[in-house]
Amino acid sequence: MAEDDDPGELNLALLCFIAYRAMENRVLEDLAAAGFGDVTAAQGRVFARIDPDGTRITDLAERAQVTKQTAGFLVDQLERAGYVRRVPDPRDARARLVQIAERGQAATEVAGRTEAAVEAEWTHHLGRASAVQLRQALTRLREITDPYR
Amino acid sequence: MAEDDDPGELNLALLCFIAYRAMENRVLEDLAAAGFGDVTAAQGRVFARIDPDGTRITDLAERAQVTKQTAGFLVDQLERAGYVRRVPDPRDARARLVQIAERGQAATEVAGRTEAAVEAEWTHHLGRASAVQLRQALTRLREITDPYR
DNA sequence: TGACTTAGACAGATTCTCTTACCATTATTA
DNA sequence: TAATAATGGTAAGAGAATCTGTCTAAGTCA
């Protein structure tokens, strides 16, 4: 992660990170203000990848790019805090599905509102056309940077 | 960090994170292959923000968004591994400047080449115009997402 | 000079993450 | 069908990264 000699010309990835971090902080902040102050960033990164009908630990681990053990550890915490529940997977007796619980749903709504608000700010700052292009570019980039999904 | 209901329409920040992570992994991989396998991601994130003429711990902490203690801890490790050195700051006897040492310079060159290669891949995938727009958008976004610099 | 601030380090605890090892279930195959 | 391999998940333990609190030394300013 070296820096360009020319200051102000950071590499694309670092620029991505700065934006990402800003959003994460805002979401965590608003969650805390809404009474969900016990969610950590690591928990949030796993939580954000749960499908509406539930997701297996193994898949969550893959998506969040952590080991199964780490994903299980974070899901344990989310479960104890009431954000998710584990139910047996009807299609495979070995597996369990992590589903979003009531408290998790409430937190999702708060987070979603913040995300929308921050995206609106970004769109306002960039201009509509530029923001749309940004999303398109990042989505296309995902084709070669995200091995999952 | 909630996910959109519509799959495939992840929020902008998550898209940023995916790209960032891909670059970080590639750089760390190539560094390891070049004999710099002892650098961790956290160390790299601090290292990447050292100015050519050296930077104070406090500033590094601010830029990397960690506490001074964490920055000092990571710089300790980088120093022991020979990537950086600490020298007294001639302008302030309390402060010390973290500077890139020989080994760090060599690693910087490897990382720089990887970054350039990955950016070239991205540019190729997106097309030149789109890649330029992406950089412009992210740079402008930095104005409202990066409190430092 | 004295009060306050800033730069940095040390100690300790917590959180996150990994590796290794293991169990249960499912899939494969001889 | 029985043995073997692969998959989903957990457990234990260690290491890495991070924080809060506290401390010293040095600079700033009234």
Side-chain angles (χ1 to χ4, degrees), chain A residues 45-61:
Chain A
R45 287 194 276 266
V46 165
F47 182 86
R49 284 158 172 96
I50 302 173
D51 289 325
D53 49 343
T55 305
R56 296 179 185 186
I57 286 281
T58 301
D59 294 329
L60 284 180

Side-chain angles (χ1 to χ4, degrees), chain B residues 59-132:
Chain B
D59 295 329
L60 285 179
E62 204 171 59
R63 294 177 193 175
Q65 293 191 50
V66 295
T67 60
K68 289 190 296 178
Q69 291 82 341
T70 298
F73 175 78
L74 295 168
V75 167
D76 280 348
Q77 300 173 335
L78 287 166
E79 189 173 30
R80 271 198 301 278
Y83 290 101
V84 304
R85 74 175 82 85
R86 283 186 239 228
V87 300
D89 184 339
R91 286 159 304 181
D92 189 334
R94 292 169 303 180
R96 303 164 74 186
L97 291 175
V98 179
Q99 292 181 335
I100 294 179
E102 296 65 34
R103 184 170 169 77
Q105 189 53 48
T108 298
E109 280 153 25
V110 171
R113 276 195 292 276
T114 300
E115 282 164 9
V118 172
E119 288 207 19
E121 286 171 27
W122 290 7
T123 300
H124 181 259
H125 185 77
L126 294 176
R128 185 114 201 93
S130 193
V132 170

Side-chain angles (χ1 to χ4, degrees), chain A residues 82-101:
Chain A
Y83 290 101
V84 304
R85 75 175 82 84
R86 284 187 239 229
V87 302
D89 184 338
R91 287 158 305 180
D92 190 334
R94 292 168 302 181
R96 304 165 74 185
L97 290 175
V98 179
Q99 292 181 334
I100 294 179

Side-chain angles (χ1 to χ4, degrees), chain A residues 1-3 10-14 17 20 23 25 27 48-49 115 119 125 133 135 140 143 149, chain B residues 1-3 10-14 17 20 23 25 27 48-49 65 115 119 125 133 135 140 143 149:
Chain A
M1 246 88 357
E3 187 173 2
L10 296 188
N11 82 66
L12 272 178
L14 204 42
F17 186 64
Y20 167 71
M23 172 74 88
N25 288 343
V27 170
R49 284 158 172 96
E115 282 165 9
E119 289 208 16
H125 186 75
Q133 282 170 349
R135 171 180 288 282
R140 291 193 50 214
E143 295 162 8
R149 285 208 163 178
Chain B
M1 250 102 345
E3 186 173 5
L10 297 188
N11 81 65
L12 272 180
L14 204 42
F17 185 65
Y20 167 70
M23 172 74 88
N25 288 342
V27 170
R49 285 158 171 96
Q65 293 191 50
E115 282 164 9
E119 288 207 19
H125 185 77
Q133 283 171 349
R135 171 179 290 283
R140 290 193 52 214
E143 294 162 8
R149 286 210 160 175

